[in-house]
Amino acid sequence: MAHQIKDKEAFQRLNFLYQAAHCVLAANPQNVELARFYCHTEKTISKRLVLRQDPSIKRTICKRCSSLLLSGITCTVRQRKSRGQRLTLVRCLSCGLTKRFLNNPNHKLWSEQPEALLENQPQPDINPGSHQNVQKEKASSAKTENATKMAS
């Protein structure tokens, strides 16, 4: 049986709204308000249904005004070095909010690390017919056989 995704239709709707916002801005960069409406709708749906959005999606939507952040159209992107750290500064042209992201090429999100995957987690041995349990049963039965031979 294939793994079923919970709220699949909701994720499809969120995906459609995000793509629609991109298409609107690609067709006409002056349609910032329509793209903002699509992003705001996407944001409210995900909040209402308590759905987590991918970090790459969340980083391209302004937290304050819900504008889709596209470099050169609705935001400016700058690279800065502050206190020995490389930063990416994204400034929304609609509301002026500045987002700062650490620009470390070696950084990986937790969800991308192998330890985060459930299949890589160690599984406890609960199967009674496993190899280790069979070995222990053989050893204990051999001890009882030796003890009965010695007693007789």
Side-chain angles (χ1 to χ4, degrees):
M1 184 174 141
H3 179 68
Q4 295 295 322
I5 298 174
K6 185 184 173 211
D7 296 322
K8 183 178 179 182
E9 292 83 18
F11 278 114
Q12 287 175 343
R13 185 174 179 198
L14 294 176
N15 185 23
F16 173 80
L17 288 168
Y18 186 73
Q19 288 182 21
H22 267 282
C23 289
V24 161
L25 283 179
N28 185 4
Q30 304 301 319
N31 270 342
V32 177
E33 290 298 321
L34 184 58
R36 183 181 296 153
F37 171 75
Y38 289 150
C39 290
H40 181 71
T41 306
E42 175 191 0
K43 209 172 183 181
T44 54
I45 290 170
S46 63
K47 277 184 183 177
R48 188 183 70 224
L49 297 176
V50 193
L51 299 174
R52 288 181 182 265
Q53 291 183 325
D54 193 67
S56 61
I57 301 288
K58 285 178 15 179
R59 286 181 176 191
T60 59
I61 297 175
C62 180
K63 280 187 169 185
R64 188 184 294 166
C65 69
S66 298
S67 287
L68 184 64
L69 299 175
L70 292 179
S71 179
I73 299 173
T74 58
C75 73
T76 58
V77 179
R78 300 284 185 253
Q79 301 293 322
R80 294 274 188 262
K81 205 165 192 176
S82 173
R83 299 181 198 154
Q85 293 180 332
R86 294 173 16 187
L87 296 173
T88 301
L89 301 173
V90 180
R91 185 172 181 270
C92 178
L93 296 177
S94 299
C95 66
L97 180 74
T98 302
K99 287 184 169 190
R100 283 187 274 167
F101 301 109
L102 193 61
N103 190 358
N104 183 358
N106 299 325
H107 179 73
K108 286 187 180 179
L109 295 173
W110 169 252
S111 59
E112 296 171 352
Q113 294 181 1
E115 301 91 45
L117 298 176
L118 188 59
E119 59 203 27
N120 293 340
Q121 297 295 321
Q123 297 295 321
D125 189 23
I126 57 173
N127 189 0
S130 71
H131 182 68
Q132 292 175 347
N133 289 340
V134 171
Q135 295 284 341
K136 288 178 184 177
E137 288 174 11
K138 285 182 181 178
S140 64
S141 64
K143 287 180 184 178
T144 55
E145 285 178 17
N146 288 340
T148 53
K149 286 180 184 176
M150 294 275 218
S152 51

